[in-house]
Amino acid sequence: QMPTPMSQSSQVFNFSAGPAILPASVLEIVQQDLLNLADSGMSILEMSHRSRTVDQLLHEVEADVRALADIPENYSVLFLQGGASLQFSMLPMNLLSVEQPADYLVTGVWSQKAVQEAEKVGAVRIAGSTESEGFIRIPRQDELSCSPNAAYAHFTSNNTIYGTQWQDAPDVGTVPLVSDMSSDIFSRPLNIERYGFVYASAQKNLGPAGLTLVIIRNDLLERSSRSLPSVMNYATLVKHGSRYNTPPVFGIYVLHLVVKWLRERGGLAGIARGNERKAAKVYAEIDRTEFYQGVATDDSRSFMNITFKLPTKSLDEVFTQEATKVGLLGIAGHRLLEGQRASLYNAMPESGAVALASFMRDFERRHG
Ligand SMILES: *Cc1c(COP(=O)(O)O)cnc(C)c1O
C-alpha cells in the first residue's frame, strides 16, 4: 500500500536534528545577496573581515542579538568557530581552576561529552544525572546536589538525541550557571541574568554550521589565564570583538538574517508560542494512541526534538521510508536511540507539524 501523497507534492519539510531547517525567506535573501551584498559589487564570501561592510554587520548583529534576547551591557556576545564541542574544552580551560570543581548535570550524550572534556582540564562533580533511566527525563530540582562552592554549574538545556528539555533552568544559587543551548537557543524567552555563560553551535536553531554563539558575563572574563592559547581565551576574544582572528563571516551574516526574522515574528515570546503550538500537534498524536510511544516522560518533553517509537523496529523503518516518500525528511531517530525524531526548530512552519500529525494518523490507519 502506498501512502497518500500530500496535496503539495513538491513541498518537503526538513525535520533533521542538525544541520537543520532555516527560514525559507532567509535563504531567499541569501540567494539575492550572494553575488552583490548591499551594492558593494562583492559577495559576502569575498569580503575582508575588517572591511566597513563587515564592521557594520558585526555591530548590527550584536545589537540585534542583544535586543532579541534582552542581553544587558555586563554580558559580552562572541561569534566563534569550533562548534559547541570546542566550548566543552574552552569553558573549563577558562573558568575552571584546579582547586575548585565544577558541577555538571548529566542528561544525555552531549552533557557526557562536556564532562569528558572538562575532566581533562580540572575536577568535575556530577551533581545530577538521569543516565540510569536512559536519559528519558530531566532531574527534578530536589534530586540535584549542587555545591555552593562550584566554579560553575553546567547543564544541557535541550537534549537533542532523547527529546528532553529543561522546562526551567536549575537553581544553583550564586554559582555561575552555564548552559549548552545548542538545540533550543532563542526558541523561548531567555532570562540571561540567571546565567554566567551560555553557548550554542549555530546549525540547529541559528544558521549554518561553523559558527558558535557565546554569551558570557563580564566578571567571568577575569578567570581567563594568560597562558591559554589566544584563540581559546575568552578575555582576548572579547577584547578583539570576535576578531582576534578571522571570524566565520558568512555564518554571522546568516545569523543576522535569522535574528531579524525572529524579531519580526514577535521575538522570543512570539516564537515560543508558535513552537508550543507546533509541538502540541505532534504530541497530541502520540498521546491519542498506544501505537506511538513517546520516549521522553511527560514532564520533560522537548518542544524542539520530539522522539517516539512504533510498536516494532520494522514498522519504525517503514514509517521513516514512507515519511520520506511524502516529503517529511530527516525523521529517523538518532542511531543510539532509533525510533523517530521530529525536530521542530524555530524555522519549521506550522504547516510542517500539521503535515506530520496527519501523516501519523494516516500511517496508523494503514498499519495499526
Ligand atoms: C549538536 C549539539 C552539540 C554538538 O555541536 P557541534 O557544533 O557539532 O560541536 C552539542 N550540544 C548539543 C546540545 C547539540 O545538540
Side-chain angles (χ1 to χ4, degrees):
Q1 257 169 319
M2 280 300 292
T4 330
M6 284 162 53
S7 49
Q8 292 165 283
S9 54
S10 61
Q11 164 125 46
V12 302
F13 292 108
N14 177 7
F15 290 94
S16 168
I21 186 170
L22 285 166
S25 60
V26 164
L27 293 176
E28 277 162 18
I29 297 171
V30 172
Q31 185 184 37
Q32 280 163 21
D33 284 355
L34 192 65
L35 298 184
N36 181 2
L37 180 68
D39 285 328
S40 64
M42 284 200 290
S43 171
I44 182 74
L45 295 168
E46 307 171 295
M47 276 180 201
S48 163
H49 59 295
R50 314 252 176 225
S51 64
R52 256 198 35 199
T53 310
V54 176
D55 260 349
Q56 201 180 334
L57 166 66
L58 276 165
H59 184 76
E60 285 176 15
V61 68
E62 179 175 335
D64 281 335
V65 165
R66 285 184 186 277
L68 174 73
D70 211 0
I71 298 168
E73 285 305 315
N74 62 321
Y75 287 77
S76 296
V77 178
L78 288 171
F79 305 100
L80 307 179
Q81 310 199 35
S85 300
L86 182 60
Q87 296 311 308
F88 294 166
S89 300
M90 270 174 76
L91 169 74
M93 287 167 77
N94 282 267
L95 298 192
L96 194 52
S97 66
V98 190
E99 316 86 67
Q100 194 184 15
D103 280 347
Y104 277 72
L105 307 177
V106 179
T107 52
V109 165
W110 293 118
S111 330
Q112 285 177 318
K113 290 197 169 159
V115 167
Q116 275 165 24
E117 298 306 313
E119 280 173 338
K120 295 176 186 172
V121 177
V124 168
R125 273 181 72 246
I126 305 301
S129 171
T130 49
E131 185 178 5
S132 64
E133 292 162 64
F135 294 130
I136 60 165
R137 69 177 184 90
I138 298 298
R140 295 184 312 273
Q141 182 69 36
D142 64 20
E143 295 175 287
L144 307 181
S145 61
C146 295
S147 158
N149 303 314
Y152 58 83
H154 178 283
F155 76 108
T156 313
S157 57
N158 183 72
N159 299 281
T160 327
I161 295 173
Y162 306 89
T164 64
Q165 186 173 24
W166 291 76
Q167 309 300 307
D168 194 19
D171 181 2
V172 298
T174 58
V175 169
L177 184 61
V178 172
S179 187
D180 173 1
M181 294 194 178
S182 291
S183 53
D184 68 352
I185 188 148
F186 298 165
S187 69
R188 54 182 176 181
L190 169 65
N191 184 0
I192 193 70
E193 313 219 27
R194 287 190 64 181
Y195 298 85
F197 186 97
V198 160
Y199 64 102
S201 46
Q203 70 271 18
K204 276 61 181 263
N205 228 357
L206 297 178
L211 167 67
T212 314
L213 181 70
V214 162
I215 305 169
I216 182 168
R217 206 176 63 213
N218 290 339
D219 60 291
L220 298 174
L221 295 170
E222 285 158 27
R223 296 197 200 174
S224 299
S225 155
R226 270 200 259 168
S227 64
L228 289 171
S230 303
V231 290
M232 299 175 82
N233 183 315
Y234 294 132
T236 305
L237 293 163
V238 166
K239 192 170 136 222
H240 290 268
S242 301
R243 279 186 293 187
Y244 173 77
N245 67 329
T246 316
V249 174
F250 180 72
I252 296 169
Y253 154 79
V254 178
L255 168 70
H256 190 211
L257 298 176
V258 169
V259 168
K260 286 197 279 193
W261 179 84
L262 287 167
R263 293 190 68 194
E264 283 159 14
R265 301 177 87 79
L268 300 185
I271 205 77
R273 282 192 294 275
N275 287 336
E276 277 179 41
R277 271 201 308 276
K278 288 183 288 175
K281 292 205 182 337
V282 179
Y283 282 122
E285 292 309 309
I286 295 173
D287 290 338
R288 189 182 48 75
T289 161
E290 299 281 288
F291 187 66
Y292 298 111
Q293 292 290 324
V295 173
T297 61
D298 291 358
D299 59 351
S300 301
R301 283 175 163 180
S302 169
F303 288 149
M304 296 280 99
N305 314 97
I306 301 185
T307 47
F308 58 94
K309 293 189 177 192
L310 282 88
T312 64
K313 208 178 140 134
S314 63
L315 270 176
D316 260 319
E317 276 164 23
V318 178
F319 184 93
T320 310
Q321 278 162 15
E322 290 196 1
T324 307
K325 270 188 210 141
V326 297
L328 307 175
L329 307 183
I331 219 162
H334 189 276
R335 61 187 184 281
L336 285 174
L337 207 66
E338 298 181 331
Q340 315 297 324
R341 171 175 53 174
S343 299
L344 304 175
Y345 295 123
N346 287 343
M348 175 61 67
E350 194 158 330
S351 53
V354 170
L356 174 59
S358 99
F359 174 76
M360 288 170 76
R361 267 194 302 280
D362 183 53
F363 188 89
E364 185 190 5
R365 211 174 306 124
R366 288 181 290 108
H367 296 275

